[in-house]
Amino acid sequence: MLYGARVVPSPSDLTEVGRRFLEKDPNHPGSLGIAISEAIEYAVKHDEAKYSLGSVLNHVLLHQTIIGQEVMLQLEEAGEKPDVMIGCVGGGSNFAGFIYPFVGKVLRGETKGIRFVAVEPKACPSMTEGEYRYDYGDTARMTPLIRMYTLGHEFVPPPIHAGGLRYHGAAPTLSLLVNKGVVESVAYAQEEVFEAARLFAETEGLIPAPETAHAVKAAIDEAVRAREEGEERVIVFNYSGHGLLDLEGYRQVLKLG
């Protein structure tokens, strides 16, 4: 809004797709699939509008690999090699960008012994409970068919606070890696994720976004397992965003104040 933009929640009355869902339910919680449909429809009908993908398709994941390349340099400076790499997944862009440079080294045989763990919400468990098949990337079926882990393009997840993870599918290359066993997937409930975020904030002084808190939860669980098994592990997770705009979610879920 600082740059003159108008932010409209989806579903909206700006598109036929949005109006159709609002007619069925004025309080519809929306989904990323519906938002994509609306964005595509609006861009097609308005010459001044352009649609830019933010996740899911492979070229976006490739663009994000700057994250993993920076992590690789940081670990080299620290003289460490990761045993486990963890990130949250909605469509998969930040997680893929985080791990793909390392996955490349593993698949080329240049290194081994790295586990890659993709974390998603139990409210939208595309990788842990979805099917690996061709599906549309949006609710109104405007995109090409994509082979991915999917809950179905018509799936509408409950309105959890980790809004960026409410996508019915996962990126095609990430889905392939999950299908081949290169990447593990795990899902957590919202309450346990926020509890992990609370512990992280109290320990590290940083408040993670609800999406990021999924990776925090998995990292804590991994550290606890290492301690119980008497092993030393280098656990690297992607702190993908702060939660300073999500404090109301913390208050609601953790019943604060």
Side-chain angles (χ1 to χ4, degrees), residues 28-50:
H28 196 288
S31 71
L32 291 179
I34 296 173
I36 292 170
S37 295
E38 287 206 84
I40 294 174
E41 180 187 331
Y42 191 90
V44 168
K45 292 182 176 179
H46 296 79
D47 291 338
E48 76 281 5
K50 306 295 180 185

Side-chain angles (χ1 to χ4, degrees), residues 69-87:
Q69 293 175 50
E70 289 185 1
V71 171
M72 195 172 285
L73 291 174
Q74 291 171 4
L75 288 170
E76 288 176 3
E77 285 291 321
E80 297 284 0
K81 173 185 171 296
D83 296 307
V84 187
M85 299 188 71
I86 300 170

Side-chain angles (χ1 to χ4, degrees), residues 113-245:
I114 305 176
R115 289 174 45 226
F116 305 104
V117 182
V119 192
E120 62 186 3
K122 285 186 175 180
C124 196
S126 59
M127 295 174 295
T128 52
E129 297 185 25
E131 298 178 348
Y132 186 50
R133 60 177 174 83
Y134 281 97
D135 194 11
Y136 293 95
D138 73 305
T139 304
R141 299 180 296 179
M142 296 181 183
T143 70
L145 285 167
I146 304 167
R147 194 176 189 191
M148 60 182 175
Y149 276 99
T150 178
L151 297 166
H153 61 272
E154 294 183 343
F155 177 78
V156 177
I160 59 173
H161 289 283
L165 305 187
R166 296 175 69 247
Y167 186 62
H168 64 270
T173 51
L174 175 57
S175 292
L176 177 63
L177 291 171
V178 173
N179 184 257
K180 297 298 184 182
V182 177
V183 172
E184 306 169 24
S185 56
V186 63
Y188 290 112
Q190 178 168 253
E191 291 74 18
E192 58 186 335
V193 164
F194 270 91
E195 283 295 344
R198 183 215 297 260
L199 176 60
F200 186 82
E202 292 174 347
T203 305
E204 301 295 334
L206 298 170
I207 301 173
E211 293 85 354
T212 306
H214 286 70
V216 171
K217 167 63 176 170
I220 291 173
D221 284 359
E222 189 68 34
V224 170
R225 278 194 296 271
R227 182 182 63 197
E228 292 175 346
E229 294 168 7
E231 295 184 0
E232 287 190 4
R233 292 178 196 159
V234 177
I235 302 167
V236 184
F237 76 93
N238 190 15
Y239 189 89
S240 55
H242 68 72
L244 299 182
L245 299 179

